[in-house]
Amino acid sequence: MGWFWADQTPAVGHMPSSHPAVMAGKEPPAGCPMHKKSLDKLNPHAEPAKPAAPIPSTTGGCPVPHDQRAAAVAAVGSTTPSTEEPKSILSQLNPLNYMFPDLSQKPAANQKIALPTTREESTIPKADGAGTWEYPSPQQMYNALLRKGYTDTDITAVESMVSVHNFLNEGAWAEVVGWEQRFAHGLYKGWQICKRGEEHVEEEINRHWDGKDVEPSLVRFQGRPKEMTPKAAMLQVLGWIYPSKFETEPPFDRHDWYVSRNVNGEEKEIRYVIDYYSGEPEASGEPVFYLDVRPAATAQGAAERIIRWSTDVWWKAIGGDVREQNPQPFFRHSSPKPFG
């Protein structure tokens, strides 16, 4: 998931147009990275998939025109042109999304079915102000899967995979915006918004609005499917100990999103952690997904998570809604004494 691209100029942001329908009653193909469980990190016997031979890119793997450079060196009379040292894989990746920047829109070798090359815009703003992030086309998605070694990908399922991918990322961004609406103006303001529980958050956001809309933007992101978060690992351990209550499938993906938050006129980078879970499909066969989106467990992020969770639990525990409708003091001085 999360195959954004930052190397082309995006247009003005808008809501994504309708996606192709997700395949009902079918699971994503075995080659889809959605099925590469993060639990593999805990399994020392799991063998990593063997990468396939890299797909040649029609746009060139390196942005430096070596042939032209050699010709230029020869033109000035150099007899010993300098040799280029091979670049590492990491140095070739786009630093904003850790993906190869030159994935082609051309069909892959031996590809028998044509895939669309149109790309949809997301609603997620870029931190540099250059519009919104763009999603990959089905052809780019397919080329990326092949380049990552998923050679058994069912090409007929790629469009549905792109649809699910885009849908999940839009949902993840909506969750990030919800966190930012609560805590972008500080922990105390966040407590004021959260103190009456999750059911009253929208009401409290409007009540405490200071005339300035919260407008977060995405700086960069990183997919880390093989690195299980501490929370997800803890849930797996609890599932082994107490399966009837905590047993659940491990997340099929994990992302770290770096979000720009405006704090007193200065941009501050906040890291969010996202675990992607798949649930039981609907009766109609439609797949079900769950997203666990929260700030990373830094001092700031931990405080935000504690405030949001504890206020909701406390409000429900004391029957906050009932008390608002029928206010009663916690201690009644006029109540009958048990002993005369």
Side-chain angles (χ1 to χ4, degrees):
M1 301 326 205
W3 308 47
F4 294 104
W5 306 92
D7 26 54
Q8 295 187 18
T9 303
V12 178
H14 63 272
M15 288 299 292
S17 58
S18 57
H19 301 295
V22 178
M23 299 170 61
K26 296 183 180 180
E27 294 185 356
C32 177
M34 291 169 55
H35 279 237
K36 301 297 181 182
K37 304 294 185 182
S38 296
L39 189 60
D40 293 345
K41 184 69 176 179
L42 302 180
N43 184 2
H45 304 292
E47 296 182 358
K50 296 181 179 179
I55 304 299
S57 171
T58 59
T59 59
C62 180
V64 179
H66 297 285
D67 295 338
Q68 297 178 13
R69 180 175 178 177
V73 171
V76 297
S78 175
T79 58
T80 56
S82 59
T83 58
E84 293 289 333
E85 296 183 0
K87 292 187 176 182
S88 67
I89 293 297
L90 184 61
S91 68
Q92 300 177 44
L93 301 182
N94 186 331
L96 294 180
N97 52 22
Y98 298 93
M99 293 297 298
F100 291 97
D102 60 344
L103 283 175
S104 173
Q105 292 274 30
K106 300 294 184 180
N110 302 321
Q111 180 178 330
K112 298 180 180 179
I113 300 177
L115 290 172
T117 58
T118 56
R119 299 172 62 181
E120 292 193 5
E121 299 168 29
S122 73
T123 62
I124 306 174
K126 288 185 177 181
D128 60 5
T132 58
W133 291 81
E134 284 187 297
Y135 292 123
S137 68
Q139 183 64 61
Q140 286 179 314
M141 174 74 84
Y142 184 62
N143 289 343
L145 291 172
L146 293 179
R147 194 163 186 171
K148 285 177 170 288
Y150 300 108
T151 56
D152 57 345
T153 300
D154 181 1
I155 192 172
T156 63
V158 171
E159 289 187 66
S160 294
M161 291 163 60
V162 172
S163 174
V164 172
H165 159 272
N166 297 357
F167 174 77
L168 291 180
N169 281 296
E170 290 295 324
W173 183 248
E175 291 292 322
V176 168
V177 171
W179 279 97
E180 290 297 303
Q181 288 177 331
R182 290 167 172 82
F183 296 103
H185 298 300
L187 295 178
Y188 178 68
K189 183 62 71 68
W191 174 81
Q192 289 181 312
I193 292 173
C194 296
K195 65 182 180 181
R196 295 176 61 225
E198 288 292 299
E199 295 183 1
H200 298 279
V201 164
E202 291 297 328
E203 178 184 345
E204 294 300 321
I205 288 176
N206 294 330
R207 177 181 298 177
H208 295 281
W209 185 58
D210 58 1
K212 299 179 181 178
D213 291 326
V214 175
E215 297 179 351
S217 55
L218 182 61
V219 180
R220 66 185 187 280
F221 61 91
Q222 182 180 10
R224 304 170 66 181
K226 296 298 182 181
E227 299 179 44
M228 186 173 290
T229 63
K231 180 179 179 180
M234 184 180 299
L235 290 175
Q236 291 303 305
V237 172
L238 290 174
W240 295 333
I241 299 174
Y242 196 178
S244 62
K245 185 173 180 62
F246 293 103
E247 185 175 23
T248 182
E249 289 291 321
F252 60 80
D253 202 359
R254 172 213 172 155
H255 276 178
D256 285 11
W257 286 13
Y258 297 83
V259 174
S260 178
R261 172 188 296 179
N262 188 292
V263 180
N264 298 324
E266 297 182 1
E267 295 299 322
K268 182 178 180 180
E269 193 172 275
I270 306 296
R271 181 166 66 96
Y272 282 86
V273 180
I274 307 170
D275 284 324
Y276 297 79
Y277 293 88
S278 57
E280 292 294 329
E282 298 283 356
S284 61
E286 295 294 327
V288 175
F289 303 96
Y290 300 96
L291 303 181
D292 187 0
V293 183
R294 69 275 188 193
T298 60
Q300 174 81 16
E304 293 178 4
R305 291 160 69 169
I306 291 172
I307 290 173
R308 184 172 179 179
W309 173 79
S310 62
T311 51
D312 185 57
V313 171
W314 173 252
W315 185 259
K316 293 176 180 177
I318 66 172
D321 290 335
V322 175
R323 288 182 178 277
E324 282 189 336
Q325 297 173 5
N326 183 24
Q328 295 290 339
F330 281 99
F331 301 100
R332 298 182 183 179
H333 298 288
S334 60
S335 60
K337 296 182 176 58
F339 302 101

